[in-house]
Amino acid sequence: MAARRGGAMRPPTSSMRAALARSPAASFLLAAAAAAAVVGGLYFWVVVSSFRLPDSGAAGCRPDGEGSWSVGMFYGSSPLELRPIELEGRSNGNSSAWPVANPVLTCATPTEAGYPSNFVADPFLYVEGDTLFLFFETKTTTSMQGDIGVARSFDKGATWEFLGIALDEAWHLSYPFVFKYENEIYMMPEGNKKKELRLYRATKFPLEWTLEKVLVNKPLIDSSLVQFDGYWWLFASDFSRYGVEKNAELEIWYSNSPLGPWTEHKQNPIYKSDKSLGARNGGRLFVFEGSLYRPGQDCSGTYGRKVKLYRVEKLTKEEYKEVPVKLGIEEPKKGRNAWNGMRYHHMDAQQLASGGWIAVMDGDRVPSGESTRRSLFGYIGFLLAIALVVFVGFVKGAISCYIPPSFWVFQTRRTELSRILPVHRFNQKVRRYSTNISRYFSASKTRLNEKTWSNMLFFWVVALIGIVNVCIAVHFLFSGIGAEEAYTYKGQHSQFTMVTMTYEARLWNLKLFVEHYSRCESVREIVVVWNKGNPPSSDAFDSTVPVRIRVEEINSLNNRFRVDPLIKTRAVFELDDDIMMTCSDLEKGFRVWREHPERMVGFYPRMIDGNPLQYRNERYARGKRGYNLILTGAAFMDSEFAFKKYWSEEAREGRDYVHKNFNCEDLLMNFLYANASSSRTVEYVHPAWAIDTSKLSSVAISRNTQKHYDIRTNCLAKFSSIYGPLPQKWEFGMREDRWDK
């Protein structure tokens, strides 16, 4: 709007509003804003909607600048060779977790127990017979500081019961180092805000503690104790360090008792300059085969990037020497889609009475300060997009702005004295410069409004930059933490196996398939049923999970459901190799299947009805507002039930018909499910988007749609005569979460 000297600004009349509406410049500006909104919405639907977004009504598990830490379990015969819980075959039928997968403890654990938390980190174990107690930092949402929570497990860490808050002070607490000494249980948490290292004693384990004493009057962090070679040793870092020494300093103290008094090591500080060395402790020190090992944090790039392990070669009152050794835990490969894909900074490994080793480790899928950084980038993107729209509006005349030169100058009375003062000379320069700038902008505005190819190209570039900024803003502000996370069911994660069937003519498609889906968090293995031609090597694929090529003797669609004893998960996701969808949609489908593992859960619904039965597309099901069949080209099922049922004697006639017609194996599976139960057997999940690349290929069996439908209609008549009818209609949109809309 323009406010010129000598006149007050009047409210727009109806004629002025009409003129503004007819203004080409105003129309252009409105069109630009509308286009930006459309582009932002399209980008959200195609890209951002695939990310798991935080529940706006949730009490905990909110985005936090410190991260989204959670805790996982590991097992092994040695602390130098540990495997995650999902590879140990531990299961829990109550949560349909076959197997249980990491993380086993998340922010949801205390939140659902009534103690809202944004993350859990710094886990320490206390082993009492067959019972495990886990102490950890929980970022409480009410005070936004760390408290010490405690959970209990009776099945070696597969399931955890949150017991409550063990320790809550007026300051931040973390790193709850728990140990036993002379039949008393002690906890030495970090509380550097008090500038002292405190020791607490359990009065009623595990929830009641009292302050025993102050060990060291210094703001020590991540302090760990270990008894070795006749002394108690205290390893810690001084949090008052700054600059290059922050998170790069290590000190050692020694005593005859964990209760002190403590004496500083003569080499202190052991480290003080390189954050990548793992100076800051990363968990409990342990002794294995006579050697002392120390886990440390590599803080290069971001805080707590990963755990490094060191073997201590010399530890005396005067000398200390350690060398790096292999940690023995496989590096995560799925990036943000893995619970520990970006950071893992703490480990507590302990030996059980059985001789085996158990360990807890925390992990994070985002770097430190991620939520703050995403907000900053998002708002900058929006501001730049708005600035470009305003710029275009100014050039096109939809926005008019006149700032008189006097606006920039100091107001002084014009006297003889003012002429010789610096203020007057400064004002003259400001007027001159502002006038020149105004002339320059006016000339540029005139030139840019000329109808030339160069001007058109200029505005197209500006529009492209604006679109990019809108997409950046939408991506960073509305995509949560930018990860396609797995969903828990009854507090637990699990995994599934992907099975796809293909042959050599579709190898190019298979490589894209494997590269994409192997990054999904809950995928454990991809099994490729190779029906025809020379099979590729498993090494030919860019995959983060094992790829197994199962070569079949004959080319038959029945091979898709062949009983496979090498599959280690109950849940199998059958997916055609020409369907691409988001990992988030797969995780939703897996979550729904875990609620009802007796059902087939899929993404392509059909409504089969009529007399005689007729096969139709999804549009028909939508018109009927319901479905009674799920295509197994993208469906979860119980491999133990489904595969055995498909290869049972009762299914022989149906299998022969499928093999003869090279079609309808998915229809047969639906009839077998329906025949085996009187309750609901199928459930639909709506994908955010899905691409069927078979439409781009000349080798798809369903390329001739009408012929394909005719064959499937014949299959319906055959299978219904053998196995009976399909169930009645199930309506769309029956779920509370609206995943089946």
Side-chain angles (χ1 to χ4, degrees):
M1 300 294 294
R4 298 185 180 274
R5 300 172 73 183
M9 191 164 60
R10 295 177 300 168
T13 63
S14 59
S15 59
M16 293 170 63
R17 285 192 294 268
L20 182 62
R22 292 193 300 270
S23 167
S27 299
F28 179 86
L29 189 61
L30 291 173
V38 169
V39 169
L42 183 63
Y43 183 82
F44 181 89
W45 176 66
V46 174
V47 179
V48 175
S49 62
S50 67
F51 299 128
R52 180 177 176 182
L53 306 181
D55 181 2
S56 58
C61 299
R62 306 293 300 159
D64 194 292
E66 292 188 71
S68 58
W69 297 94
S70 52
V71 177
M73 295 293 305
F74 296 81
Y75 307 86
S77 58
S78 157
L80 307 182
E81 295 180 2
L82 296 169
R83 288 159 37 104
I85 189 172
E86 54 264 26
L87 298 184
E88 292 295 299
R90 299 176 187 271
S91 301
N92 181 12
N94 293 329
S95 60
S96 306
W98 302 293
V100 174
N102 280 328
V104 296
L105 196 79
T106 69
C107 57
T109 309
T111 297
E112 292 173 358
Y115 299 86
S117 169
N118 279 348
F119 64 78
V120 292
D122 293 352
F124 279 99
L125 284 168
Y126 183 82
V127 182
E128 193 174 77
D130 294 329
T131 304
L132 301 179
F133 292 92
L134 185 67
F135 293 83
F136 52 91
E137 173 194 353
T138 172
K139 179 73 173 289
T140 306
T141 59
T142 53
S143 62
M144 293 305 290
Q145 72 176 25
D147 296 330
I148 305 303
V150 59
R152 178 176 58 192
S153 174
F154 296 110
D155 54 9
K156 294 185 178 180
T159 59
W160 292 92
E161 174 193 6
F162 183 77
L163 300 179
I165 301 298
L167 193 59
D168 180 9
E169 297 283 18
W171 54 89
H172 171 85
L173 295 174
S174 61
Y175 206 86
F177 186 91
V178 180
F179 66 100
K180 191 172 187 178
Y181 176 69
E182 293 184 348
N183 295 321
E184 296 283 359
I185 303 175
Y186 295 93
M187 182 197 301
M188 185 178 63
E190 175 199 316
N192 69 84
K193 296 294 183 183
K194 289 293 289 182
K195 301 188 185 310
E196 56 190 21
L197 181 61
R198 292 183 158 206
L199 184 68
Y200 295 81
R201 177 174 50 83
T203 56
K204 191 175 181 180
F205 186 82
L207 287 174
E208 296 181 15
W209 302 77
T210 186
L211 177 64
E212 181 72 9
K213 66 184 302 185
V214 175
L215 297 179
V216 180
N217 284 299
K218 198 173 184 180
L220 297 179
I221 59 173
D222 294 354
S223 304
S224 294
L225 293 172
V226 66
Q227 188 176 20
F228 188 72
D229 278 355
Y231 289 94
W232 283 85
W233 302 91
L234 170 64
F235 290 72
S237 298
D238 184 354
F239 198 64
S240 64
R241 302 280 180 168
Y242 56 90
V244 296
E245 297 183 15
K246 192 80 167 182
N247 294 327
E249 195 254 11
L250 174 67
E251 297 182 6
I252 299 177
W253 304 61
Y254 60 90
S255 173
N256 291 318
S257 163
L259 307 182
W262 292 94
T263 304
E264 283 200 64
H265 195 279
K266 289 189 177 181
Q267 279 187 221
N268 278 352
I270 306 300
Y271 301 122
K272 65 174 184 177
S273 61
D274 190 346
K275 296 181 181 181
S276 68
L277 288 178
R280 184 168 174 171
N281 284 329
R284 189 188 305 268
L285 287 81
F286 60 87
V287 178
F288 176 64
E289 294 182 348
S291 295
L292 178 64
Y293 292 84
R294 184 184 73 87
Q297 298 181 45
D298 177 353
C299 291
S300 60
T302 183
Y303 164 69
R305 189 170 72 88
K306 66 178 181 179
V307 173
K308 283 187 172 181
L309 189 62
Y310 294 88
R311 184 177 67 246
V312 177
E313 293 197 333
K314 194 162 192 176
L315 176 58
T316 67
K317 297 179 183 179
E318 295 80 21
E319 294 182 80
Y320 180 77
K321 182 182 179 182
E322 63 182 13
V323 295
V325 295
K326 186 178 179 181
L327 180 60
I329 294 178
E330 186 178 358
E331 289 272 350
K333 300 176 181 178
K334 297 187 180 184
R336 290 176 186 245
N337 286 359
W339 68 277
N340 59 348
M342 297 301 290
R343 298 190 288 173
Y344 52 99
H345 82 331
H346 181 102
M347 181 183 75
D348 182 14
Q350 296 194 36
Q351 190 170 23
L352 301 175
S354 62
W357 285 77
I358 189 171
V360 286
M361 178 179 284
D362 63 10
D364 194 358
R365 61 179 79 242
V366 296
S368 179
E370 177 69 1
S371 62
T372 303
R373 186 161 45 248
R374 294 183 73 85
S375 296
L376 179 62
F377 288 164
Y379 288 126
I380 289 176
F382 264 132
L383 289 175
L384 289 176
I386 292 171
L388 287 172
V389 172
V390 171
F391 168 74
V392 172
F394 173 75
V395 171
K396 291 296 183 180
I399 299 176
S400 179
C401 181
Y402 173 75
I403 302 176
S406 61
F407 177 84
W408 305 102
V409 302
F410 294 101
Q411 299 297 320
T412 59
R413 294 186 63 186
R414 189 168 182 176
T415 64
E416 290 298 325
L417 181 61
S418 68
R419 292 181 180 278
I420 62 175
L421 291 177
V423 171
H424 181 69
R425 290 195 294 271
F426 175 77
N427 286 347
Q428 286 182 323
K429 290 182 179 180
V430 169
R431 285 192 181 98
R432 186 164 58 252
Y433 287 137
S434 63
T435 301
N436 291 337
I437 292 173
S438 297
R439 289 173 180 170
Y440 174 78
F441 276 115
S442 296
S444 299
K445 180 178 177 180
T446 301
R447 286 194 298 270
L448 288 173
N449 275 308
E450 295 175 358
K451 294 183 178 181
T452 64
W453 285 106
S454 60
N455 283 349
M456 290 179 63
L457 178 62
F458 173 78
F459 283 112
W460 276 111
V461 171
V462 170
L464 180 61
I465 295 174
I467 289 172
V468 170
N469 278 289
V470 169
C471 292
I472 289 174
V474 170
H475 179 82
F476 282 107
L477 291 179
F478 300 107
S479 62
I481 59 175
E484 297 179 282
E485 298 180 57
Y487 292 82
T488 61
Y489 178 58
K490 294 186 177 180
Q492 289 195 303
H493 289 81
S494 188
Q495 290 184 325
F496 61 88
T497 301
M498 290 193 69
V499 177
T500 189
M501 188 165 59
T502 190
Y503 58 102
E504 60 183 352
R506 300 163 69 98
L507 182 58
W508 66 273
N509 205 71
L510 180 63
K511 290 184 176 181
L512 294 176
F513 177 100
V514 170
E515 181 179 358
H516 171 66
Y517 289 115
S518 71
R519 270 74 180 173
C520 300
E521 182 169 6
S522 298
V523 174
R524 172 169 176 168
E525 180 189 29
I526 297 177
V527 177
V528 179
V529 180
W530 195 262
N531 255 5
K532 185 175 68 174
N534 296 320
S537 167
S538 298
D539 299 333
F541 302 98
D542 177 9
S543 178
T544 66
V545 301
V547 177
R548 178 162 57 90
I549 310 297
R550 197 179 78 200
V551 181
E552 301 292 346
E553 295 181 0
I554 60 173
N555 183 13
S556 173
L557 293 183
N558 291 323
N559 294 331
R560 159 174 274 167
F561 303 123
R562 188 175 296 280
V563 176
D564 188 343
L566 296 181
I567 291 178
K568 302 301 182 184
T569 65
R570 281 277 293 275
V572 164
F573 184 53
E574 292 278 355
L575 185 63
D576 290 346
D577 66 340
D578 49 20
I579 293 177
M580 299 297 289
M581 60 178 62
T582 69
C583 288
S584 183
D585 283 332
L586 265 64
E587 299 294 354
K588 287 180 182 178
F590 186 39
R591 170 67 165 77
V592 174
W593 179 85
R594 290 180 65 193
E595 295 174 9
H596 298 284
E598 73 281 1
R599 299 176 184 172
M600 277 196 300
V601 176
F603 299 91
Y604 290 93
R606 295 292 186 267
M607 183 65 210
I608 306 300
D609 60 5
N611 189 15
L613 296 176
Q614 187 173 351
Y615 184 84
R616 301 178 178 91
N617 59 20
E618 183 175 342
R619 188 181 301 109
Y620 179 79
R622 291 290 178 182
K624 289 288 187 175
R625 298 186 179 182
Y627 62 95
N628 59 357
L629 183 143
I630 289 292
L631 300 186
T632 61
F636 286 93
M637 60 190 69
D638 182 348
S639 62
E640 290 191 6
F641 168 79
F643 292 178
K644 290 179 180 178
K645 189 72 174 177
Y646 193 89
W647 286 92
S648 64
E649 185 61 31
E650 67 177 296
R652 177 186 292 276
E653 187 176 355
R655 290 199 310 273
D656 292 342
Y657 193 84
V658 167
H659 181 68
K660 176 182 177 182
N661 291 276
F662 208 75
N663 205 324
C664 304
E665 80 286 358
D666 51 348
L667 304 185
L668 175 58
M669 182 64 82
N670 275 268
F671 276 95
L672 293 174
Y673 259 81
N675 180 260
S677 174
S678 59
S679 59
R680 184 175 181 178
T681 56
V682 293
E683 188 163 356
Y684 166 67
V685 176
H686 179 72
W689 55 265
I691 300 174
D692 184 357
T693 61
S694 68
K695 307 303 181 185
L696 310 175
S697 172
S698 61
V699 295
I701 65 171
S702 58
R703 186 169 178 81
N704 187 329
T705 302
Q706 188 56 53
K707 182 179 179 182
H708 177 65
Y709 279 25
D710 290 343
I711 295 174
R712 294 172 79 78
T713 295
N714 294 333
C715 290
L716 292 174
K718 178 68 174 180
F719 296 155
S720 62
S721 66
I722 302 174
Y723 305 107
L726 289 170
Q728 298 299 311
K729 179 179 69 176
W730 298 98
E731 294 184 357
F732 295 107
M734 296 177 64
R735 292 181 58 89
E736 291 184 6
D737 52 30
R738 308 295 291 176
W739 286 356
D740 61 341
K741 61 183 179 180

